[in-house]
Amino acid sequence: MRLIPALGPRGPFAARNRQDVPDVTGSPVAELSLVPGLYVHRATTALRKAAPLPPGERADALARAAELFASGTIGELTHEEYLHAVSRVSGMPITYVRAAASVITSAVADAPKTVEHARPLGAVTQWRDPVVRQGHALWARRGDVFAVHAAGNHPGIHAVWLEALALGYRVAVRPSRREPFTPFRLVSALRAAGFGDDHVVFLPTEHAVAGDVIAGADLAMVYGGDDVVAKYATSTDVLPQGPGRSKILLADGEDHLDTVLSSISSEGGMACVNTTAVFVRGDPRPVAEAIAERLAALPSVPPDDEKARLPVLRLAAAQGIERAVTAAARGTETLTSGIADLGDGSAVLRPAVHVLDRADAPQAAVEMGFPCVWVAPWTPEDGVAPLRDTLVLTAFTDDEALVDRLVDEPSISNVYVGDHPTHWMRPHVPHDGFLAEFLMRTKGVVRD
């Protein structure tokens, strides 16, 4: 079985403590080396002592890393073998894994330019800039070491933390044990491209050691559920990344079914930008029925089948999610739901479509990580309240006063007005704010 070692400041490390990485059938496909707390401490200490590469060298190394990630053989896996490994262990349809890998490749190469979108217009990046002689704002790091507690549901999350490396941070990545192939491949490519072993490390750990990775860093980004968001809600040094609860508002009375369907089912419904609730001005039933009919046509096949569009889990895990959906939907009308047993120990999570009877129904806040959508009625009198706590809101409306309220609502991160699916993203558009907003600050500097 293939071993995935830790990548520490002295190179690859095979710990005695290891954990199997199974595919969706339960068959182990790799062993993941889990490092102890002492190893984490030594690794983060080495990161802190290391000096960052100069900006130009960082940009060149990132460009080389993008090429290696996209086409190299890393850890004995070609790029195509890597894609299939990710699909088999995460259950994400291969089509979406391939698209995510393309996004990561672009993010690696473009990171030096992407971070510039967050820099204040009045700030410079170097104290040697001539304008500093008159006094100026300087954009500076808030620390030296950045830690990432990664999620395993979607490889695309690894496109985000690259900005920290582009800004001169040294980075420690604790991978999800569900899908370690993407961060291992990415860290390996970065090191082969010119970043030192003491600039970026790959630290798989047990849950009991996970806190040591954060403790050894100046700043950290942590993925998780509502419990993680609540734990770090008041922290200024840890950026929690929780559920998206993305939504669509159909307030103009027109048919936008293609955009709604894409928003629900693209990425296999596994991303935080997938729509989980649709609010309809008028009767929600016809919209819900149309969604259910179209989603029912999606095939039930293994995740590495090119026709796959729905996520696959081990049968027991899929059954657990099915029970959770049934419990959450109690008291609502379910149009379609269930799993499809593939007969090999795995099952497809079939789309679940539910009709709610009011805009403020609590189920509208339920996010399940597959195409599970709650369709609810909405009126102008309901206002913004049902639409709060949303990563992306797509609003079909010509009511500019309503758009003003949506944009002003602090708990709605992104507002897309018109025909833009909730999974639409561009490097110059913030996802949940720019990561660089968290990593950087402005200092006042003047020199003779």
Side-chain angles (χ1 to χ4, degrees):
M1 209 168 25
R2 180 177 290 106
L3 175 66
I4 303 176
L7 299 175
R10 295 185 178 179
F13 175 73
R16 293 182 180 179
N17 186 14
R18 300 176 185 180
Q19 183 179 57
D20 287 348
V21 180
D23 69 8
V24 293
T25 70
S27 300
V29 296
E31 276 189 319
L32 183 62
S33 179
L34 303 179
V35 299
L38 180 59
Y39 187 91
V40 170
H41 173 72
R42 290 175 175 171
T44 53
T45 298
L47 296 182
R48 191 170 302 283
K49 291 179 179 179
L53 294 174
E57 293 183 28
R58 291 200 296 267
D60 291 343
L62 285 163
R64 290 191 295 270
E67 295 180 6
L68 289 170
F69 180 84
S71 60
T73 296
I74 297 175
E76 300 181 352
L77 292 179
T78 65
H79 187 255
E80 192 63 25
E81 290 170 337
Y82 149 72
L83 296 176
H84 280 267
V86 171
S87 181
R88 291 296 302 175
V89 301
S90 70
M92 189 175 203
I94 186 72
T95 297
Y96 300 127
V97 175
R98 188 173 289 114
S102 178
V103 169
I104 294 171
T105 299
S106 296
V108 178
D110 295 341
K113 294 183 292 184
T114 303
V115 297
E116 287 296 305
H117 295 301
R119 178 163 63 93
L121 290 176
V124 296
T125 59
Q126 297 287 333
W127 70 267
R128 293 180 178 84
D129 192 301
V131 300
V132 172
R133 294 188 184 278
Q134 286 74 49
H136 216 77
L138 174 71
W139 208 37
R141 292 192 306 272
R142 292 180 57 212
D144 293 313
V145 179
F146 181 60
V148 182
H149 273 205
N153 62 307
H154 197 299
I157 64 103
H158 293 286
V160 178
W161 59 260
L162 295 159
E163 294 186 15
L165 207 60
L167 289 165
Y169 278 88
R170 278 72 76 205
V171 179
V173 181
R174 178 186 179 264
S176 165
R177 291 182 289 178
R178 176 182 175 184
E179 196 280 277
F181 289 101
T182 296
F184 177 80
R185 183 177 182 85
L186 185 51
V187 171
S188 297
L190 290 163
R191 290 157 74 119
F195 287 97
D197 289 357
D198 55 357
H199 286 178
V200 55
V201 295
F202 172 82
L203 302 176
T205 73
E206 293 183 329
H207 288 295
V209 183
D212 295 350
V213 181
I214 294 178
D218 299 308
L219 302 174
M221 180 168 63
V222 180
Y223 289 83
D226 288 324
D227 56 336
V228 169
V229 174
K231 179 178 180 179
Y232 295 110
T234 60
S235 174
T236 59
D237 298 331
V238 179
L239 180 66
Q241 300 288 285
R245 298 190 174 95
S246 296
K247 302 175 179 70
I248 289 179
L249 173 63
L250 299 176
D252 63 1
E254 297 182 11
D255 179 10
H256 303 288
L257 186 59
D258 287 344
T259 299
V260 172
L261 288 167
S262 176
S263 297
I264 295 167
S265 63
S266 182
E267 313 296 324
M270 301 173 72
C272 56
V273 291
N274 283 118
T275 294
T276 56
V278 177
F279 293 85
V280 181
R281 185 172 183 176
D283 184 2
R285 170 174 278 282
V287 174
E289 290 176 344
I291 292 171
E293 180 181 0
R294 289 277 294 274
L295 291 181
L298 296 176
S300 294
V301 295
D304 54 348
D305 188 308
E306 292 294 339
K307 297 187 296 293
R309 294 297 181 271
L310 295 171
V312 179
L313 295 179
R314 275 175 280 178
L315 179 59
Q319 290 170 333
I321 290 178
E322 184 182 26
R323 289 191 295 270
V325 172
T326 299
R330 191 169 292 121
T332 72
E333 182 180 2
T334 298
L335 299 186
T336 181
S337 187
I339 62 174
D341 188 344
L342 293 179
D344 59 359
S346 69
V348 178
L349 294 172
R350 297 292 309 169
V353 181
H354 314 270
V355 183
L356 304 179
D357 59 5
R358 66 184 200 274
D360 62 349
Q363 289 88 349
V366 174
E367 181 174 291
M368 286 293 181
F370 74 103
C372 177
V373 64
W374 313 85
V375 187
W378 178 90
T379 67
E381 290 70 32
D382 290 316
V384 172
L387 308 173
R388 290 177 177 144
D389 300 316
T390 300
L391 177 58
V392 182
L393 173 69
T394 289
F396 288 95
T397 180
D398 54 7
D399 184 345
E400 293 188 0
L402 174 60
V403 175
D404 284 337
R405 294 198 297 275
L406 296 174
V407 171
D408 289 341
E409 169 55 44
S411 70
I412 301 176
S413 296
N414 302 312
V415 177
Y416 301 166
V417 181
D419 197 10
H420 308 284
T422 53
H423 59 77
W424 180 92
M425 286 188 285
R426 296 293 185 274
H428 64 280
V429 177
H431 170 61
D432 189 7
F434 288 116
L435 177 60
E437 297 174 25
F438 173 71
L439 297 174
M440 306 294 281
R441 57 164 293 193
T442 52
K443 293 183 179 182
V445 180
V446 65
R447 57 172 296 204
D448 292 335

